[in-house]
Amino acid sequence: MSSYNGYDTDAYENWSPTDSHSGSGSGSSGLSRRLSTFSMLSVATALPLYSEDDHYPSPLQLPEYTHPRAPSPTYTIPSARTYPPSSTALVSEISSCAASVSELSLSAASTSTWTSRGSSSRSGSSGRTSSRRARPSTAGSSSSSGERGPAAVYNPSTSIFHRTPTTDHAFHLRPEKGPGDPWATLILSSNAESPDKTPRFYAGNKIRGAVHFNLAEPMTIRMITATLRGTIVQQRLQSNHSHNFLDDTVAIWSKDSAAGDSRVPLSSSGTLVGLLAIPFEMQFPTDMDLKGDNNVTTTVPLPESMLEQNSPIQLEYKVILTIHRGRFQSPFKIPADVIYTPRVTPGPPTPARQLAYHNHRAIPGPISDPKGWLITAPMQCPGNLRGIEDVMISGTVFLPSPASYTRGTAVPCKIHMNTTTTRNINVKELVTMRLCRRITYLDPKVGRKKRLKDCTEKVKVDICSVVWFASRPKGRAVTLEGELHIHHQLPASGNFPLFTVEYYVVLMAFESDEFTPLATKPLMKRKIEVATELPAGPMPPRPVTTEPPAKWLKTSYDSMTLQTYF
């Protein structure tokens, strides 16, 4: 028996179009037993992704399946006084929609009342998952009722984007010749986890800091400035090319306006000496004005930092402290790399889905919640099965709506498939659905000397694939359920003209060792948005599957990668 994180996967490794849950015969009963085992494990150890009430008309008919030990459907909406005060208004809005989602209520109750209790003997290596999914013990709850408190509510007003930077970072300037203590130090306060990490700023943060001097001898300083610089860097084997798209400079101190400034007392000769500290503050902009090809100025949001080591293109931000000396003397500079995170918020889920999140219920499917899903047109993939039969396989993909997903979360996915053959097909190897990224950027060698569209290049790379973990076969149709992990290290989507980051969900042509498609062109390409925070409201459940490793960060790729996708 094969498994994925402790879940029995034999139930969907071999899809026989003649099998069903209720079929007769040894083949059907064997598959039914395997499906029964998998269904119990998935319900008992993890929150089910979808309601069991979604039955699709032919040819997308799902099997009607109810576990023999499932409790009778019960469902109530808790009183508003049991909610946190900040979510009362939201709960009131969701509760008002309860009548229109009665299907969701019954189906969710029948599939989500299982807990991890009693599943340890059957889950095998899934002990960690079972523990994570166990019903929490709450005061006043019955040990046998399976009740859970309302889900946590995400409040944007208390998010990291409103957090005051408190971590101080020090960047020193030492004597040019010989060892010695630093005579100038730049201090920056950021939202980084620790002082040894790169300073991090979120959209809306202010750059606060100070410059400290320890001057043993008098020094003539004419002006001190701080510059926030954004740069696109193209890494080549021979050399690197860069283009500065942002230069925002503020004056911290000037000799001409230093009269009466008690922070920086000047000597009689007009020089600085001794221990001095000059605080400063500047806004980290969230957007900037950019001239287009027709000399039209538009306001565009700043892109997120991208510092992937193996990527041929990077986007960097720096805070540069410049100490201007005499007119004929070169200035001193203290550069500090910083990381910028924009605020990209997805639209709210449908009331039916928020209701499911709030009550730890199964996510309603396309029938119960039609506005909560994006449904593709049926796609057909002709090919040959084992060299003996020409077969047509069709599929329909279901993705959550709106198509904006927060990084660090898992996106539930469905695909309904039909076939013209009655032979067994290994579905696990047949379907590959990937998250792909495309970056269109300004070629730093060319700059803005030509039209923007004539001086851009593209970089494309695979991010990860959907992890399929459940199957519902019936007749010649089968439904796969899985999760697409939006990796927490992915840069957010952005439409900055000089550095555009786009993400696509791509369904590859059905292909395996058994099935050879006539054409390898992808069957579907759907653009999505990668966001940096959750929408306001109940937080989604934890993923059923484990986030795959970030392989794209360790793999070298070039501009020719995945050229056929786009």
Side-chain angles (χ1 to χ4, degrees):
M1 177 183 295
S2 60
S3 64
Y4 179 83
N5 282 355
Y7 296 103
D8 176 16
T9 55
D10 286 343
Y12 65 97
E13 283 187 354
N14 292 288
W15 164 38
S16 174
T18 59
D19 287 341
S20 66
H21 288 290
S22 58
S24 59
S26 59
S28 297
S29 61
L31 177 61
S32 182
R33 284 194 300 271
R34 294 196 298 271
L35 285 174
S36 177
T37 302
F38 181 86
S39 180
M40 171 174 285
L41 288 176
S42 62
V43 171
T45 62
L47 183 69
L49 286 185
Y50 312 104
S51 302
E52 295 289 342
D53 67 330
D54 288 328
H55 302 293
Y56 295 84
S58 180
L60 301 179
Q61 181 70 34
L62 294 182
E64 297 184 7
Y65 179 76
T66 302
H67 195 275
R69 292 168 57 187
S72 58
T74 57
Y75 184 83
T76 57
I77 300 178
S79 171
R81 64 175 179 273
T82 64
Y83 297 12
S86 59
S87 63
T88 304
L90 173 64
V91 171
S92 176
E93 178 183 354
I94 296 176
S95 300
S96 65
C97 302
S100 62
V101 291
S102 57
E103 284 184 282
L104 163 69
S105 307
L106 295 176
S107 62
S110 63
T111 59
S112 62
T113 52
W114 289 88
T115 68
S116 61
R117 185 184 56 164
S119 63
S120 58
S121 61
R122 308 190 64 170
S123 61
S125 61
S126 62
R128 181 178 64 85
T129 304
S130 300
S131 175
R132 183 182 66 181
R133 293 294 177 178
R135 174 175 51 85
S137 58
T138 56
S141 63
S142 172
S143 60
S144 60
S145 64
E147 294 180 357
R148 300 173 64 181
V153 175
Y154 179 77
N155 186 356
S157 63
T158 59
S159 68
I160 56 177
F161 294 95
H162 293 275
R163 185 182 302 167
T164 301
T166 57
T167 304
D168 290 340
H169 311 262
F171 304 89
H172 304 291
L173 186 61
R174 300 182 182 275
E176 296 180 345
K177 297 181 180 180
D181 295 332
W183 63 269
T185 300
L186 170 64
I187 303 294
L188 290 178
S189 296
S190 83
N191 277 309
E193 297 177 356
S194 61
D196 59 331
K197 301 289 186 180
T198 303
R200 179 180 294 274
F201 296 93
Y202 296 102
N205 285 165
K206 288 186 178 181
I207 303 175
R208 292 186 174 94
V211 53
H212 294 258
F213 289 103
N214 183 12
L215 302 173
E217 299 178 356
M219 176 181 290
T220 301
I221 297 179
R222 185 166 50 89
M223 181 182 293
I224 304 173
T225 60
T227 300
L228 175 62
R229 176 169 296 167
T231 306
I232 299 173
V233 181
Q234 186 180 43
Q235 303 183 103
R236 298 289 190 181
L237 295 178
Q238 296 81 8
S239 61
N240 294 345
H241 302 276
S242 62
H243 172 78
N244 297 331
F245 63 88
L246 174 66
D247 266 302
D248 194 357
T249 301
V250 297
I252 298 176
W253 179 85
S254 174
K255 182 179 179 181
D256 297 335
S257 58
D261 190 347
S262 59
R263 300 176 306 168
V264 189
L266 292 174
S267 65
S268 57
S269 60
T271 59
L272 299 180
V273 66
L275 298 176
L276 305 170
I278 309 175
F280 70 91
E281 178 180 291
M282 63 185 299
Q283 183 69 42
F284 205 121
T286 58
D287 50 41
M288 63 175 293
D289 294 333
L290 192 68
K291 284 189 177 181
D293 293 333
N294 298 326
N295 238 5
V296 177
T297 301
T298 56
T299 301
V300 293
L302 286 183
E304 185 172 15
S305 300
M306 180 174 170
L307 305 173
E308 296 176 6
Q309 183 177 359
N310 292 326
S311 172
I313 188 69
Q314 295 189 352
L315 191 139
E316 305 172 349
Y317 290 97
K318 292 179 183 289
V319 173
I320 305 173
L321 180 76
T322 305
I323 303 173
H324 303 267
R325 299 189 291 171
R327 296 185 181 277
F328 301 103
Q329 294 177 300
S330 58
F332 292 109
K333 294 186 178 182
I334 306 179
D337 293 326
V338 299
I339 298 175
Y340 170 68
T341 301
R343 190 170 194 174
V344 182
T345 308
T350 59
R353 180 163 298 194
Q354 293 187 56
L355 186 64
Y357 287 168
H358 180 83
N359 292 287
H360 305 281
R361 304 301 187 186
I363 296 175
I367 298 299
S368 298
D369 186 20
K371 294 183 179 180
W373 294 89
L374 300 172
I375 306 175
T376 65
M379 297 157 289
Q380 294 185 336
C381 181
N384 187 270
L385 182 63
R386 305 188 187 97
I388 57 177
E389 181 182 0
D390 291 333
V391 175
M392 174 69 74
I393 300 178
S394 60
T396 302
V397 174
F398 297 78
L399 294 174
S401 177
S404 180
Y405 313 124
T406 305
R407 60 188 178 194
T409 63
V411 180
C413 304
K414 277 186 177 186
I415 181 170
H416 299 308
M417 300 171 59
N418 291 270
T419 178
T420 57
T421 184
T422 58
R423 303 177 188 272
N424 291 351
I425 301 177
N426 191 327
V427 184
K428 184 177 180 180
E429 297 181 357
L430 191 66
V431 182
T432 300
M433 195 157 70
R434 296 171 177 165
L435 176 64
C436 305
R437 182 182 68 195
R438 178 175 66 180
I439 298 177
T440 305
Y441 63 95
L442 174 72
D443 187 348
K445 294 184 302 181
V446 180
R448 297 299 303 278
K449 297 178 182 179
K450 298 181 179 180
R451 292 184 305 171
L452 182 59
K453 65 180 181 179
D454 295 332
C455 54
T456 55
E457 293 191 6
K458 292 181 175 64
V459 174
K460 314 174 189 73
V461 66
D462 268 346
I463 301 300
C464 63
S465 298
V466 173
V467 181
W468 305 108
F469 65 87
S471 167
R472 300 180 186 177
K474 184 174 183 179
R476 297 188 180 184
V478 64
T479 300
L480 292 182
E481 297 178 0
E483 290 179 330
L484 176 63
H485 289 267
I486 309 299
H487 203 278
H488 68 276
Q489 292 179 276
L490 286 175
S493 299
N495 58 355
F496 189 67
L498 307 183
F499 195 88
T500 303
V501 181
E502 299 171 299
Y503 291 92
Y504 294 86
V505 176
V506 180
L507 177 64
M508 307 302 296
F510 302 132
E511 186 175 8
S512 66
D513 294 339
E514 301 175 319
F515 182 79
T516 304
L518 295 182
T520 58
K521 183 179 179 181
L523 302 176
M524 179 206 72
K525 184 187 72 172
R526 177 82 190 196
K527 185 176 181 179
I528 68 169
E529 180 184 59
V530 172
T532 58
E533 73 168 340
L534 294 168
M539 297 181 66
R542 294 179 180 178
V544 175
T545 58
T546 303
E547 182 181 69
K551 293 183 178 179
W552 84 93
L553 292 177
K554 303 177 182 179
T555 304
S556 179
Y557 55 92
D558 54 37
S559 59
M560 300 303 293
T561 306
L562 308 182
Q563 186 177 12
T564 56
Y565 286 13
F566 304 96

mmCIF file of all heavy atoms in Angstrom, residues 232 303-304 306 313-315 439-442 494-501:
data_model
loop_
_atom_site.group_PDB
_atom_site.id
_atom_site.type_symbol
_atom_site.label_atom_id
_atom_site.label_comp_id
_atom_site.label_asym_id
_atom_site.label_seq_id
_atom_site.Cartn_x
_atom_site.Cartn_y
_atom_site.Cartn_z
ATOM 1 N N ILE A 232 16.948 47.345 -10.572
ATOM 2 C CA ILE A 232 16.769 46.082 -11.281
ATOM 3 C C ILE A 232 18.152 45.604 -11.702
ATOM 4 O O ILE A 232 18.883 46.319 -12.395
ATOM 5 C CB ILE A 232 15.860 46.237 -12.511
ATOM 6 C CG1 ILE A 232 14.465 46.701 -12.088
ATOM 7 C CG2 ILE A 232 15.767 44.933 -13.286
ATOM 8 C CD1 ILE A 232 13.555 47.042 -13.255
ATOM 9 N N PRO A 303 7.091 47.418 -6.761
ATOM 10 C CA PRO A 303 7.158 45.953 -6.700
ATOM 11 C C PRO A 303 7.859 45.483 -5.431
ATOM 12 O O PRO A 303 8.560 46.242 -4.761
ATOM 13 C CB PRO A 303 7.983 45.594 -7.943
ATOM 14 C CG PRO A 303 8.858 46.787 -8.167
ATOM 15 C CD PRO A 303 8.056 47.985 -7.725
ATOM 16 N N GLU A 304 7.660 44.224 -5.119
ATOM 17 C CA GLU A 304 8.292 43.634 -3.939
ATOM 18 C C GLU A 304 9.744 43.282 -4.231
ATOM 19 O O GLU A 304 10.131 43.028 -5.376
ATOM 20 C CB GLU A 304 7.542 42.371 -3.517
ATOM 21 C CG GLU A 304 8.050 41.760 -2.226
ATOM 22 C CD GLU A 304 7.176 40.634 -1.726
ATOM 23 O OE1 GLU A 304 6.344 40.142 -2.508
ATOM 24 O OE2 GLU A 304 7.312 40.255 -0.555
ATOM 25 N N MET A 306 12.939 41.120 -4.727
ATOM 26 C CA MET A 306 13.142 39.757 -5.215
ATOM 27 C C MET A 306 14.636 39.483 -5.196
ATOM 28 O O MET A 306 15.396 40.072 -5.976
ATOM 29 C CB MET A 306 12.579 39.588 -6.624
ATOM 30 C CG MET A 306 12.778 38.177 -7.152
ATOM 31 S SD MET A 306 11.988 37.911 -8.729
ATOM 32 C CE MET A 306 12.672 36.308 -9.149
ATOM 33 N N ILE A 313 17.493 37.564 -12.726
ATOM 34 C CA ILE A 313 17.041 38.933 -12.526
ATOM 35 C C ILE A 313 16.670 39.125 -11.054
ATOM 36 O O ILE A 313 16.074 38.245 -10.440
ATOM 37 C CB ILE A 313 15.832 39.268 -13.451
ATOM 38 C CG1 ILE A 313 15.494 40.749 -13.378
ATOM 39 C CG2 ILE A 313 14.638 38.393 -13.125
ATOM 40 C CD1 ILE A 313 16.522 41.642 -13.999
ATOM 41 N N GLN A 314 17.059 40.250 -10.499
ATOM 42 C CA GLN A 314 16.746 40.558 -9.109
ATOM 43 C C GLN A 314 16.262 41.993 -9.005
ATOM 44 O O GLN A 314 16.600 42.836 -9.848
ATOM 45 C CB GLN A 314 17.961 40.355 -8.199
ATOM 46 C CG GLN A 314 18.428 38.914 -8.107
ATOM 47 C CD GLN A 314 19.489 38.715 -7.048
ATOM 48 O OE1 GLN A 314 19.988 39.658 -6.463
ATOM 49 N NE2 GLN A 314 19.824 37.454 -6.784
ATOM 50 N N LEU A 315 15.500 42.255 -7.952
ATOM 51 C CA LEU A 315 15.038 43.613 -7.680
ATOM 52 C C LEU A 315 15.433 43.943 -6.240
ATOM 53 O O LEU A 315 15.031 43.242 -5.310
ATOM 54 C CB LEU A 315 13.527 43.731 -7.884
ATOM 55 C CG LEU A 315 12.991 45.170 -7.874
ATOM 56 C CD1 LEU A 315 11.934 45.366 -8.949
ATOM 57 C CD2 LEU A 315 12.407 45.530 -6.511
ATOM 58 N N ILE A 439 8.175 36.596 -15.208
ATOM 59 C CA ILE A 439 8.614 37.944 -14.866
ATOM 60 C C ILE A 439 9.036 38.648 -16.153
ATOM 61 O O ILE A 439 9.881 38.158 -16.896
ATOM 62 C CB ILE A 439 9.789 37.922 -13.872
ATOM 63 C CG1 ILE A 439 9.359 37.266 -12.566
ATOM 64 C CG2 ILE A 439 10.290 39.335 -13.608
ATOM 65 C CD1 ILE A 439 10.472 37.147 -11.551
ATOM 66 N N THR A 440 8.417 39.784 -16.409
ATOM 67 C CA THR A 440 8.773 40.623 -17.547
ATOM 68 C C THR A 440 9.454 41.870 -17.001
ATOM 69 O O THR A 440 8.877 42.590 -16.193
ATOM 70 C CB THR A 440 7.525 41.015 -18.358
ATOM 71 O OG1 THR A 440 6.818 39.818 -18.734
ATOM 72 C CG2 THR A 440 7.915 41.794 -19.604
ATOM 73 N N TYR A 441 10.683 42.113 -17.427
ATOM 74 C CA TYR A 441 11.455 43.181 -16.819
ATOM 75 C C TYR A 441 12.190 44.011 -17.874
ATOM 76 O O TYR A 441 12.449 43.558 -19.000
ATOM 77 C CB TYR A 441 12.464 42.609 -15.812
ATOM 78 C CG TYR A 441 13.512 41.714 -16.428
ATOM 79 C CD1 TYR A 441 14.762 42.208 -16.805
ATOM 80 C CD2 TYR A 441 13.263 40.360 -16.632
ATOM 81 C CE1 TYR A 441 15.718 41.394 -17.366
ATOM 82 C CE2 TYR A 441 14.215 39.536 -17.194
ATOM 83 C CZ TYR A 441 15.444 40.053 -17.546
ATOM 84 O OH TYR A 441 16.391 39.239 -18.103
ATOM 85 N N LEU A 442 12.551 45.213 -17.477
ATOM 86 C CA LEU A 442 13.323 46.107 -18.330
ATOM 87 C C LEU A 442 14.747 45.602 -18.438
ATOM 88 O O LEU A 442 15.394 45.313 -17.425
ATOM 89 C CB LEU A 442 13.323 47.516 -17.752
ATOM 90 C CG LEU A 442 14.214 48.552 -18.445
ATOM 91 C CD1 LEU A 442 13.609 48.933 -19.782
ATOM 92 C CD2 LEU A 442 14.391 49.777 -17.567
ATOM 93 N N GLY A 494 2.659 41.576 -9.217
ATOM 94 C CA GLY A 494 2.820 43.012 -9.374
ATOM 95 C C GLY A 494 2.755 43.408 -10.835
ATOM 96 O O GLY A 494 3.194 42.665 -11.707
ATOM 97 N N ASN A 495 2.186 44.590 -11.093
ATOM 98 C CA ASN A 495 2.066 45.092 -12.474
ATOM 99 C C ASN A 495 2.936 46.317 -12.702
ATOM 100 O O ASN A 495 2.604 47.182 -13.513
ATOM 101 C CB ASN A 495 0.604 45.408 -12.807
ATOM 102 C CG ASN A 495 -0.005 46.428 -11.851
ATOM 103 O OD1 ASN A 495 0.627 46.840 -10.878
ATOM 104 N ND2 ASN A 495 -1.229 46.842 -12.127
ATOM 105 N N PHE A 496 4.046 46.420 -11.971
ATOM 106 C CA PHE A 496 4.989 47.507 -12.204
ATOM 107 C C PHE A 496 5.557 47.352 -13.614
ATOM 108 O O PHE A 496 6.103 46.297 -13.951
ATOM 109 C CB PHE A 496 6.111 47.437 -11.162
ATOM 110 C CG PHE A 496 7.033 48.626 -11.169
ATOM 111 C CD1 PHE A 496 6.576 49.867 -10.785
ATOM 112 C CD2 PHE A 496 8.353 48.493 -11.552
ATOM 113 C CE1 PHE A 496 7.419 50.969 -10.774
ATOM 114 C CE2 PHE A 496 9.209 49.575 -11.545
ATOM 115 C CZ PHE A 496 8.747 50.821 -11.162
ATOM 116 N N PRO A 497 5.419 48.358 -14.484
ATOM 117 C CA PRO A 497 5.777 48.173 -15.894
ATOM 118 C C PRO A 497 7.220 47.728 -16.125
ATOM 119 O O PRO A 497 7.491 47.023 -17.101
ATOM 120 C CB PRO A 497 5.525 49.555 -16.506
ATOM 121 C CG PRO A 497 4.521 50.190 -15.610
ATOM 122 C CD PRO A 497 4.835 49.692 -14.240
ATOM 123 N N LEU A 498 8.136 48.130 -15.242
ATOM 124 C CA LEU A 498 9.539 47.773 -15.437
ATOM 125 C C LEU A 498 9.884 46.422 -14.830
ATOM 126 O O LEU A 498 10.987 45.910 -15.053
ATOM 127 C CB LEU A 498 10.447 48.848 -14.826
ATOM 128 C CG LEU A 498 10.193 50.288 -15.259
ATOM 129 C CD1 LEU A 498 11.219 51.217 -14.629
ATOM 130 C CD2 LEU A 498 10.230 50.409 -16.765
ATOM 131 N N PHE A 499 8.958 45.848 -14.070
ATOM 132 C CA PHE A 499 9.213 44.569 -13.412
ATOM 133 C C PHE A 499 7.866 43.944 -13.054
ATOM 134 O O PHE A 499 7.357 44.098 -11.951
ATOM 135 C CB PHE A 499 10.056 44.777 -12.148
ATOM 136 C CG PHE A 499 10.678 43.526 -11.601
ATOM 137 C CD1 PHE A 499 11.915 43.097 -12.052
ATOM 138 C CD2 PHE A 499 10.027 42.778 -10.639
ATOM 139 C CE1 PHE A 499 12.494 41.944 -11.543
ATOM 140 C CE2 PHE A 499 10.591 41.620 -10.120
ATOM 141 C CZ PHE A 499 11.826 41.211 -10.580
ATOM 142 N N THR A 500 7.285 43.230 -14.009
ATOM 143 C CA THR A 500 5.953 42.648 -13.840
ATOM 144 C C THR A 500 6.072 41.190 -13.426
ATOM 145 O O THR A 500 6.771 40.406 -14.082
ATOM 146 C CB THR A 500 5.147 42.747 -15.157
ATOM 147 O OG1 THR A 500 5.066 44.116 -15.553
ATOM 148 C CG2 THR A 500 3.750 42.189 -14.969
ATOM 149 N N VAL A 501 5.397 40.817 -12.336
ATOM 150 C CA VAL A 501 5.412 39.449 -11.830
ATOM 151 C C VAL A 501 4.019 38.862 -12.004
ATOM 152 O O VAL A 501 3.037 39.399 -11.466
ATOM 153 C CB VAL A 501 5.831 39.398 -10.352
ATOM 154 C CG1 VAL A 501 5.863 37.953 -9.856
ATOM 155 C CG2 VAL A 501 7.193 40.053 -10.155
#
